[in-house]
Amino acid sequence: MALACAPPLLNLKLSNKYLGTHFRPTKKSSLFTANTGRNHVALCRRSPSFLANDNGFRVPFLRPATNRNSMKVGASSGEAESFDSETTQQEVFAWSSVILPFIFPALGGLLFGYDIGATSGAAISLQSPELSGTNWFNLSAVQLGLVVSGSLYGALFGSLIVYPLSDFLGRRRELIIASLLYLSGGLLTAYAPGLGVLLIARVLYGLGIGIAMHGAPLYIAETSPSQIRGTLISLKELFIVLGILLGYFVGSFEINAVGGWRYMYGLSAPFALLMGLGMWSLPPSPRWLLLRAVQGKGPLQEYKEKAILALRKLRGGSVDDKAPEKQVEDTLVSLKTAYAGQDSEGNFLEVFQGPSLKAFIIGGGLVLFQQITGQPSVLYYAGPILQTAGFAAAADATKLSVVIGVFKLLMTGVAVLKVDDLGRRPLLIGGVTGLAFSLLLLSAYYKFLGGYPFVAVAALLLYVGCYQISFGPISWLMVSEIFPIRTRGKGISLAVLTNFGSNAIVTFAFSPLKELLGADNLFLVFGAIALLALVFVVVYVPETKGLSLEEIESKLSK
């Protein structure tokens, strides 16, 4: 039986059992396809009330549901869910309109990375009798540890603070607050008259890190067109690496200046100011505005109009005037469905229930494995490994850091270019496989391949490269898009807390574990954990390439 859709006419086959058909938008056209179980049929995007068959009968046509992608669930066979992104309707946008809504939040990541890079040089400068420029340079190991890790403690506390406040503050205000904390922390560190003020300043800066690492992926994810969301959030990881590299460069230039550590930390202030002014000029996240409307925090129509205006501003007026209205309406329908029959704001522990718990297992598991596969510890061995191989640059810590930083930057670029092409799962599976192999290779080097230093160098570079195409950018990408909007703020807060908490544990446990197990067995343990991480990715982590956040939420809820 041929089917005619007027206008236009389409000569396509339709199963007799058209009732119960599921409709979905095609990626390459504006038509809907109907999956009857036996045949696929193309229908009009703007569906009429009736369809006509060959015999002239008028067949009632049901409009498609809002979330209409298919999903394969292999729970019984131990396979991860695979979200079918081939049917996602693409949003029209201009690249010029997405630059500023990405750049200013991403500066929060750059300032996080800059602190890591600058601290490596500042710790040396601060303890030098000739170069520190202070009379309190003779720091104990505990005092120096507090200076170095002060921002980490601040980030942990910041992620705790933002957990109950994220939906109230909104993504834009979060990032403005983070920029103010970055600015005050950087300036106070640069002018610190004593150790006490310096420690307070380091914690203040860390608070900015904790809040920025929560707000930045949220804002970027909620304002980006779905087909480039992966690229943009992965670019945020590239900004973190750029920040690390910038910190290394500044450290190498200022390492011989009296009070050089003040310049190293103080240079963060201009970037923080730019971030704050930039976020002030951007609109709130349209999805957050609609979330507040559904939560009953204001008149629905008023928030809806604000969301449409915000989306138009974010797209730079480059799309059809009706497109933002339709997108806002679709998002609002999805939100109302998610909140139907439930409390407007949910409860404090809702993130550990239902689809939110499923999302937390995926996102939290990724950021946990990101740290406990030994990332801080492997880089600790970079200097000795390269020295063993006879690299002259290894004699200079700052130059070595720049070399590693450049390589990290290049490999992160590979992930950025491929994440929306290949998808999340292939990069994760390939990268984590490489991580496991490189860690086992490092263990073998310390056990019985000590006479072949090129093996250690190859293993080190393989580790850094594989981390930067997998756990580095993809973990934060998945965290930012996998949580339902009801619990997205709380969920990402817990993921940030998991990340910084596990980072602290690995960092502080490294030395005693090295003494207890030896370097060879320690890398063997990390390799075994990486293999467990690979199993976790294969079994639990879904593919979300090209799907809107609402479509991801719909599939996860099933």
Side-chain angles (χ1 to χ4, degrees):
M1 178 178 67
L3 179 71
C5 179
L9 298 177
L10 300 173
N11 295 320
L12 298 161
K13 293 183 179 180
L14 176 66
S15 167
N16 292 331
K17 298 180 180 179
Y18 57 82
L19 294 178
T21 296
H22 300 288
F23 298 96
R24 57 187 183 182
T26 62
K27 184 175 182 181
K28 297 182 179 179
S29 72
S30 60
L31 301 175
F32 284 110
T33 61
N35 185 354
T36 64
R38 285 185 282 176
N39 301 295
H40 287 78
V41 57
L43 305 174
C44 292
R45 179 176 180 180
R46 294 179 180 175
S47 56
S49 300
F50 295 89
L51 302 174
N53 63 16
D54 291 342
N55 301 318
F57 291 103
R58 285 157 57 82
V59 183
F61 174 63
L62 300 178
R63 290 184 179 272
T66 301
N67 297 301
R68 41 193 181 262
N69 291 75
S70 63
M71 177 180 67
K72 300 173 184 177
V73 182
S76 61
S77 61
E79 297 179 357
E81 295 174 349
S82 177
F83 297 171
D84 180 7
S85 62
E86 290 303 312
T87 59
T88 302
Q89 193 172 358
Q90 302 296 290
E91 180 182 351
V92 179
F93 71 96
W95 273 99
S96 58
S97 67
V98 302
I99 293 175
L100 294 183
F102 161 75
I103 287 288
F104 295 126
L107 285 176
L110 183 140
L111 286 164
F112 171 39
Y114 180 81
D115 183 71
I116 297 172
T119 297
S120 64
I124 299 172
S125 173
L126 187 60
Q127 295 182 97
S128 171
E130 300 83 14
L131 301 176
S132 69
T134 70
N135 57 6
W136 41 274
F137 60 85
N138 191 20
L139 302 178
S140 67
V142 172
Q143 290 173 329
L144 181 62
L146 289 174
V147 172
V148 171
S149 61
S151 59
L152 176 60
Y153 294 127
L156 281 167
F157 190 49
S159 59
L160 282 173
I161 290 175
V162 83
Y163 180 82
L165 298 176
S166 59
D167 285 344
F168 169 73
L169 291 174
R171 300 31 167 152
R172 174 175 171 266
R173 278 188 286 187
E174 272 187 56
L175 290 168
I176 292 174
I177 292 171
S179 69
L180 292 175
L181 289 167
Y182 275 141
L183 181 63
S184 58
L187 291 176
L188 195 58
T189 303
Y191 291 99
L195 180 61
V197 175
L198 177 61
L199 293 177
I200 293 173
R202 296 291 293 141
V203 172
L204 274 177
Y205 195 95
L207 285 172
I209 292 174
I211 296 175
M213 293 306 291
H214 178 272
L218 259 177
Y219 190 88
I220 296 171
E222 291 188 353
T223 59
S224 300
S226 59
Q227 60 266 43
I228 61 167
R229 186 178 62 245
T231 297
L232 293 180
I233 297 177
S234 299
L235 270 174
K236 183 190 70 67
E237 173 69 19
L238 188 71
F239 267 58
I240 295 176
V241 179
L242 273 174
I244 295 173
L245 195 56
L246 179 62
Y248 288 154
F249 272 119
V250 172
S252 66
F253 284 126
E254 299 292 341
I255 194 68
N256 294 319
V258 176
W261 61 274
R262 296 184 185 274
Y263 298 107
M264 296 176 200
Y265 282 130
L267 193 63
S268 63
F271 293 100
L273 182 61
L274 179 62
M275 174 187 170
L277 293 175
M279 290 308 306
W280 188 270
S281 69
L282 291 176
S285 160
R287 284 184 170 93
W288 175 76
L289 289 169
L290 295 176
L291 173 65
R292 298 303 279 170
V294 174
Q295 289 176 340
K297 300 304 178 181
L300 177 61
Q301 188 60 32
E302 179 183 337
Y303 272 103
K304 182 178 174 181
E305 291 174 359
K306 287 181 179 179
I308 293 172
L309 289 174
L311 189 57
R312 282 179 180 155
K313 186 174 182 180
L314 287 165
R315 295 295 176 262
S318 61
V319 298
D320 175 41
D321 193 52
K322 295 295 183 182
E325 295 182 18
K326 183 181 184 304
Q327 188 174 344
V328 165
E329 191 64 47
D330 289 345
T331 302
L332 190 58
V333 170
S334 178
L335 275 170
K336 287 179 177 178
T337 302
Y339 274 73
Q342 302 186 52
D343 294 337
S344 62
E345 293 188 68
N347 58 66
F348 190 75
L349 297 177
E350 187 179 7
V351 74
F352 299 108
Q353 302 168 4
S356 296
L357 175 59
K358 193 175 184 181
F360 180 66
I361 290 173
I362 295 169
L366 285 173
V367 295
L368 177 65
F369 280 119
Q370 183 189 56
Q371 297 300 322
I372 64 174
T373 47
Q375 191 254 351
S377 306
V378 172
L379 294 183
Y380 172 86
Y381 271 82
I385 288 172
L386 292 180
Q387 283 178 331
T388 302
F391 280 76
D396 187 334
T398 56
K399 291 180 181 178
L400 168 64
S401 300
V402 171
V403 171
I404 297 297
V406 169
F407 185 67
K408 284 168 66 70
L409 184 68
L410 291 174
M411 296 309 298
T412 307
V414 173
V416 169
L417 293 173
K418 292 298 182 182
V419 67
D420 279 323
D421 180 19
L422 296 178
R424 286 66 160 150
R425 276 174 59 85
L427 287 175
L428 277 173
I429 292 172
V432 177
T433 300
L435 280 183
F437 180 74
S438 64
L439 287 165
L440 296 176
L441 201 57
L442 279 172
S443 176
Y445 169 74
Y446 280 98
K447 279 183 178 294
F448 46 79
L449 294 177
Y452 304 94
F454 69 89
V455 173
V457 176
L460 173 65
L461 294 178
L462 179 64
Y463 182 93
V464 172
C466 289
Y467 178 86
Q468 292 307 132
I469 65 169
S470 58
F471 278 146
I474 307 299
S475 295
W476 289 111
L477 168 58
M478 295 294 295
V479 163
S480 67
E481 61 186 10
I482 202 73
F483 283 98
I485 194 167
R486 280 178 61 88
T487 57
R488 189 171 294 148
K490 294 183 177 69
I492 293 181
S493 176
L494 285 177
V496 172
L497 181 64
T498 302
N499 179 269
F500 286 119
S502 55
N503 187 329
I505 291 172
V506 171
T507 301
F508 294 129
F510 172 73
S511 292
L513 283 175
K514 182 173 71 72
E515 292 181 5
L516 178 66
L517 301 175
D520 53 347
N521 291 322
L522 182 58
F523 284 126
L524 189 62
V525 170
F526 284 145
I529 295 174
L531 290 174
L532 288 176
L534 179 60
V535 173
F536 173 81
V537 169
V538 170
V539 173
Y540 289 107
V541 178
E543 180 58 73
T544 58
K545 178 184 69 171
L547 294 174
S548 72
L549 297 178
E550 288 73 31
E551 288 168 330
I552 295 172
E553 178 175 349
S554 174
K555 306 315 167 191
L556 200 66
S557 66
K558 296 177 184 178

